Amino acid sequence: MTRILSIPAFAAALLVSAVAGGTARAEDEPRKASVAQAEAFDATLVGSTAGKAKTFACFIRRYDAEHLAAHPKQTVSAMKLLVTVDTPSKEQTYNHEFRLGVKFRHRKGDFQSAGSCSHAIVEDAGDEVRLSCPIDCEGGGIEIGIAAGRKPQDKAAAMVRLEAVRIWDNDSKAEEETADYLKAGDDDKAFRLERTSLKDCGSLVSDDDERIAMLGK
């Protein structure tokens, strides 16, 4: 059974931009995206207009030796992100879930995090729409944004930003015993992940029904 953490409306204060003196102005705080902004975000995120059935999007990045040599303080050697956009509720807002897979350069094992996203928010600096995906019980969380493709023909990539997010060993059944945190170091704050085939995120799904819904088998 897939391990999905229940996420309450956790404070989006991680997105508040600080100004001189360490205080934040109200106009710098993120605001909830409009319906049109949220729909446009989802359409770009999944590569097509989100419909009534579950829609999935998979993004991945494997950092090569050259990149890691240029970023010696980066602990992450690979990351994959699966985003699920679910059936609209009566309020016509889409439900989002995420699964994050992480490999470390100096640590064995495959690690994972998972949860639900509260809503799409707008970062006033640059007017960027992001999903806020906090984890309860001081589990930190991630933000999911959209980055333009590196080439004109490329589909949109995903930006994962974090301060700290709870992770666990994907192969262990004792989740609480293996729980740890991926924390934002000098080179572990933002990750650009490229869109890829859904089957590349198959390892993040353990529920048979969801695997069938995602991969058709």
Side-chain angles (χ1 to χ4, degrees):
M1 184 174 180
T2 304
R3 295 174 292 190
I4 295 295
L5 305 178
S6 175
I7 311 301
F10 188 72
L14 291 176
L15 295 178
V16 177
S17 299
V19 296
T23 59
R25 299 174 304 175
E27 61 266 28
D28 290 327
E29 296 181 6
R31 63 185 187 278
K32 189 172 182 178
S34 67
V35 173
Q37 287 175 315
E39 288 181 346
F41 177 90
D42 284 334
T44 305
L45 184 69
V46 301
S48 62
T49 303
K52 293 185 178 181
K54 276 190 176 182
T55 310
F56 302 87
C58 178
F59 303 87
I60 197 167
R61 180 77 179 272
R62 298 182 180 91
Y63 294 95
D64 57 26
E66 182 179 0
H67 176 96
L68 293 175
H71 300 81
K73 294 183 179 181
Q74 180 173 324
T75 64
V76 173
S77 62
M79 179 178 285
K80 63 177 66 175
L81 171 71
L82 177 66
V83 181
T84 304
V85 183
D86 207 350
T87 307
S89 65
K90 293 180 180 180
E91 291 75 23
Q92 297 300 306
T93 57
Y94 291 95
N95 300 315
H96 301 81
E97 295 176 350
F98 81 90
R99 294 178 182 84
L100 192 71
V102 179
K103 284 181 175 290
F104 295 97
R105 62 195 298 185
H106 300 308
R107 186 175 180 182
K108 294 182 179 180
D110 296 317
F111 294 84
Q112 185 176 154
S113 187
S116 300
C117 304
S118 53
H119 54 257
I121 56 177
V122 179
E123 180 74 9
D124 281 342
D127 208 36
E128 180 188 10
V129 178
R130 301 179 184 177
L131 280 180
S132 174
C133 307
I135 296 177
D136 59 351
C137 299
E138 299 182 350
I142 66 172
E143 298 165 11
I144 302 172
I146 294 175
R150 296 187 183 278
K151 300 178 181 179
Q153 67 270 27
D154 289 346
K155 294 181 180 180
M159 289 298 301
V160 175
R161 298 179 176 88
L162 60 89
E163 291 296 329
V165 61
R166 185 167 57 228
I167 58 174
W168 56 85
D169 190 329
N170 195 35
D171 294 327
S172 175
K173 295 182 180 179
E175 178 182 323
E176 294 301 323
E177 295 180 8
T178 64
D180 200 351
Y181 285 85
L182 166 58
K183 297 181 180 180
D186 291 340
D187 289 327
D188 289 308
K189 295 178 181 179
F191 304 87
R192 177 194 173 94
L193 312 182
E194 302 299 328
R195 188 187 301 276
T196 186
S197 170
L198 291 177
K199 64 183 180 182
D200 290 332
C201 284
S203 62
L204 298 177
V205 180
S206 59
D207 181 82
D208 290 339
D209 290 338
E210 187 159 18
R211 184 184 295 274
I212 292 173
M214 184 174 80
L215 301 178
K217 59 182 179 179

